[in-house]
């Protein structure tokens, strides 16, 4: 690839900007688990209020459900972190 | 030596094979050294508990059957004792009757004997009295008639007379 | 903070077999540490068991075994505990101890996608085995193509299961590790700034006093809580998928 120095810098800037924007967009994935977990916890509290005798079961089930629901958020978070810190696309510029 | 890092998202074949082996080794270790042993111990204990319960059940059943046996024996013993008492009572009754009848017989014998004794005594007394009376009568008659009678002939006479009197009485 | 990069596991040592380089990474090395410690612990726990428990050690061992047995019995039905319970216990303890290693400054074992991927692939084959065992191979294929239109999606979801399991574990643990190291870097920067404020010339070897204590709180969440929850979730999901596969 035949870039002049300035062109390379411009290309790097575009890639970095794209990565930053991508990271920001990736963290939108945090909305879903937030809503879902909030809903799950609310339901769990309702259940505990109605049937206090199954408190421990409800709590542990809620935690497991939250951990599973968190997965999509974690995916977004990982993608965001990779985009921010691992700079996966810079190597395609072929410096 | 330069520190070499893997990529963040990298599949390293040696890690994959090693992890597989690790998991299998750990599985074997946990199964062989923990789960098998603990399961065996738990099974032993459960068996023992079950056996204890079984033993307790059999012991209870034994005790119950023995109790019924004893009850049967006890009731039969009661019957037996009642029988014995009844027999004894019967025997005693018989004996009592015998004794009483013997005693009655004896008493009757005694009474009879006493009666005959009395009769004899009476006869003897009567005879004596007759003799005395005849003697007295004779002496009275002697005195009355002042005449010596043939005592034997008169005696005969008087005796007959008294005999008539006695028969009449 | 300037040149903060996300790295994979460090290569501890490497050797070449023929023309292929075998890299023993930190993940494998740490999981060997886990393997040795857990094996010794397990052998100690399983030794000298008495019919009538007198030691606390035996009570702990029985509690653990009963817990796993009950989990398998509840989810898969009676009679399958012989192999599933120790397998799940092994996976659980491997993930849990591997993530707890990060409390002692090691790299958490599950924050390597090779490790979590391997476990997920094992789970995947286990699910496949159960599906084929209980439905027959033809029944399994028919189940894949049951609504004929959705066949590609069914096949895709078949492979999505292990990927999702691997990525969930990997994402949680490595995310925690990354955040922890970000915090460390930030605290180092903050310490340097404080040193600069009070006029001490800071070189590369100064003592970052802010790094004491504060990361421990985060470590409680990311290493302890997340590790326990995620390892439990992993075996629960394994059980749930196997149970699904049986039906």
């Amino acid at each position: 690839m035949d870039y002049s120095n300035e062109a390379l810098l411009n290309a790097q800037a575009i890639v970095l900007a794209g990565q930053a924007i991508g990271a920001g967009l990736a963290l939108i994935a945090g909305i879903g688990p937030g809503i879902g977990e909030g809903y799950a916890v609310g339901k769990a509290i309702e259940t505990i209020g109605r049937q206090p005798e199954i408190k421990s079961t409800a709590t542990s089930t809620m935690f497991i459900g939250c951990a599973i629901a968190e997965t999509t958020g974690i995916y977004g978070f990982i993608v965001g972190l990779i985009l921010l810190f691992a700079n996966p696309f810079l190597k395609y510029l072929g410096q | 030596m330069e520190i070499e890092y893997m990529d963040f998202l990298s599949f390293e074949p040696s890690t994959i094979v090693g992890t597989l082996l690790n998991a299998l080794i750990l599985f074997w270790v946990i199964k062989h050294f923990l789960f098998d042993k603990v399961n065996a111990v738990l099974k032993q204990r459960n068996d023992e508990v079950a056996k204890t319960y079984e033993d307790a059940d059999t012991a209870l059943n034994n005790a119950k059957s023995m109790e019924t046996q004893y009850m049967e024996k006890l009731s039969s013993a009661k019957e037996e004792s009642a029988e014995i008492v009844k027999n004894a009572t019967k025997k005693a009754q018989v004996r009592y009757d015998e004794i009483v009848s013997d005693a009655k017989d004896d008493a009757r014998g005694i009474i009879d004997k006493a009666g005959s004794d009395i009769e004899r005594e009476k006869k003897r007394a009567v005879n004596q009295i007759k003799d005395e009376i005849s003697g007295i009568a004779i002496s009275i008659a002697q005195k009355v008639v002042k005449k010596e009678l043939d005592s034997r002939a008169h005696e005969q006479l008087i005796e007959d007379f008294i005999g008539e009197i006695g028969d009449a009485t | 903070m300037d040149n903060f990069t996300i790295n994979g596991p460090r290569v501890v040592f490497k050797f070449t077999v023929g023309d292929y380089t075998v890299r023993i990474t930190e993940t494998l090395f740490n999981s060997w540490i886990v393997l040795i410690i857990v094996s010794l612990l397990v052998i100690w726990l399983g030794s000298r068991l008495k019919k009538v428990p007198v030691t606390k050690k035996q009570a702990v061992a029985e509690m653990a075994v009963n817990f796993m047995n009950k989990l398998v019995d509840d989810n898969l039905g009676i009679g399958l505990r012989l192999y599933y319970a120790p397998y799940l216990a092994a996976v659980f303890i491997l993930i849990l101890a591997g993530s707890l290693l990060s409390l002692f400054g090691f790299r958490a074992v599950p924050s390597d996608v090779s490790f979590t991927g391997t476990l997920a692939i094992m789970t995947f084959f286990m699910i496949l085995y159960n599906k084929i065992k209980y439905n027959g191979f033809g029944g399994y294929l028919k189940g894949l193509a049951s609504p004929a239109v959705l066949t590609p999606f069914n096949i895709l979801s078949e492979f999505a299961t292990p990927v999702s399991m691997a990525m969930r574990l990997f994402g949680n643990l490595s995310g925690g590790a990354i955040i922890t190291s970000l915090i460390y870097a930030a605290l180092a920067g903050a310490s340097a700034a404080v040193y600069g404020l009070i006029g001490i010339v800071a070189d590369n070897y100064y003592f970052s006093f802010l790094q004491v204590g504060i990361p421990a709180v985060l470590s409680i969440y990311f290493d302890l809580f997340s590790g326990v929850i995620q390892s439990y979730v992993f075996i629960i999901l394994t059980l749930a998928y196997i149970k699904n596969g049986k039906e």
Side-chain angles (χ1 to χ4, degrees), chain C:
Chain C
M1 196 76 190
D2 296 335
N3 46 10
F4 180 84
T5 52
I6 294 179
N7 291 318
R10 189 158 50 85
V11 176
V12 179
F13 60 92
K14 59 181 177 183
F15 53 91
T16 46
V17 179
D19 52 349
Y20 179 71
T21 310
V22 178
R23 293 185 185 84
I24 303 299
T25 59
E26 217 177 352
T27 308
L28 198 52
F29 192 75
N30 289 354
S31 65
W32 283 340
I33 297 174
V34 167
L35 185 65
I36 291 167
I37 293 173
V38 169
S39 296
L40 291 178
L41 194 71
V42 159
I43 291 170
W44 176 71
L45 269 179
S47 64
R48 282 182 314 228
L49 295 175
K50 303 237 169 39
K51 205 178 348 178
V52 179
V54 282
T55 54
K56 281 182 185 167
K57 182 200 82 176
Q58 186 173 352
V60 169
E62 283 178 12
M63 212 174 68
V65 171
N66 275 332
F67 178 75
M68 292 311 297
N69 282 342
K70 193 171 174 299
L71 206 62
V72 173
D73 283 353
D74 286 350
N75 284 291
L76 300 184
I78 311 289
L80 288 173
R81 57 162 68 162
L82 190 59
Y83 290 101
Y84 282 107
Y87 169 74
L88 291 172
V91 170
F92 179 74
I93 206 77
L94 202 54
I95 298 172
L96 180 65
S99 58
L100 291 187
L101 266 189
S102 60
L103 287 176
F104 303 102
F106 293 92
R107 187 189 165 87
V109 177
S111 59
D112 181 354
V113 78
S114 304
F115 175 82
T116 62
T118 310
L119 293 185
I121 287 167
M122 286 169 79
T123 298
F124 172 70
F125 279 114
M126 209 166 258
I127 298 164
L128 204 63
Y129 166 76
N130 271 293
K131 275 185 177 170
I132 291 176
K133 184 183 172 191
Y134 286 96
N135 300 323
F137 193 65
Y140 169 64
L141 290 182
K142 214 164 74 182
L144 271 186
S146 62
V149 195
L150 292 180
T151 310
F153 297 102
N154 283 337
I155 294 171
L156 200 65
S157 79
E158 204 77 349
F159 289 105
T161 304
V163 171
S164 129
M165 287 183 82
M167 280 303 169
R168 172 181 301 116
L169 195 56
F170 165 72
N172 269 286
L173 271 299
S174 62
I178 289 167
I179 290 185
T180 311
S181 49
L182 272 176
I183 295 278
Y184 266 106
L187 287 173
S191 301
V194 172
Y195 280 128
L197 269 183
I198 58 177
I200 298 173
V201 179
D203 55 8
N204 279 332
Y205 301 104
Y206 64 89
F207 173 66
S208 317
F209 64 93
L210 283 175
Q211 280 185 355
V212 178
I214 296 175
V217 182
L218 287 163
S219 184
I220 294 284
Y221 176 78
F222 284 116
D223 296 333
L224 204 61
F225 182 73
S226 194
V228 172
I229 288 277
Q230 288 304 323
S231 44
Y232 188 58
V233 163
F234 193 90
I235 63 165
I236 285 288
L237 280 180
T238 304
L239 273 175
Y241 283 130
I242 291 174
K243 189 184 173 189
N244 260 346
K246 277 177 68 179
E247 286 160 0

Side-chain angles (χ1 to χ4, degrees), chain A residues 6 11 13 16 20 25 27 33 35 37 43-44 46 55-56 59 62 65 68-69 74 81 85 93-94:
Chain A
E6 196 179 344
L16 290 175
L25 289 178
L27 288 181
I35 295 171
E37 284 182 28
K43 281 288 182 190
E46 265 181 30
K55 182 167 187 264
S56 60
T59 311
M62 182 200 77
I68 293 170
I74 292 287
L81 283 177
F85 296 107
L93 289 178

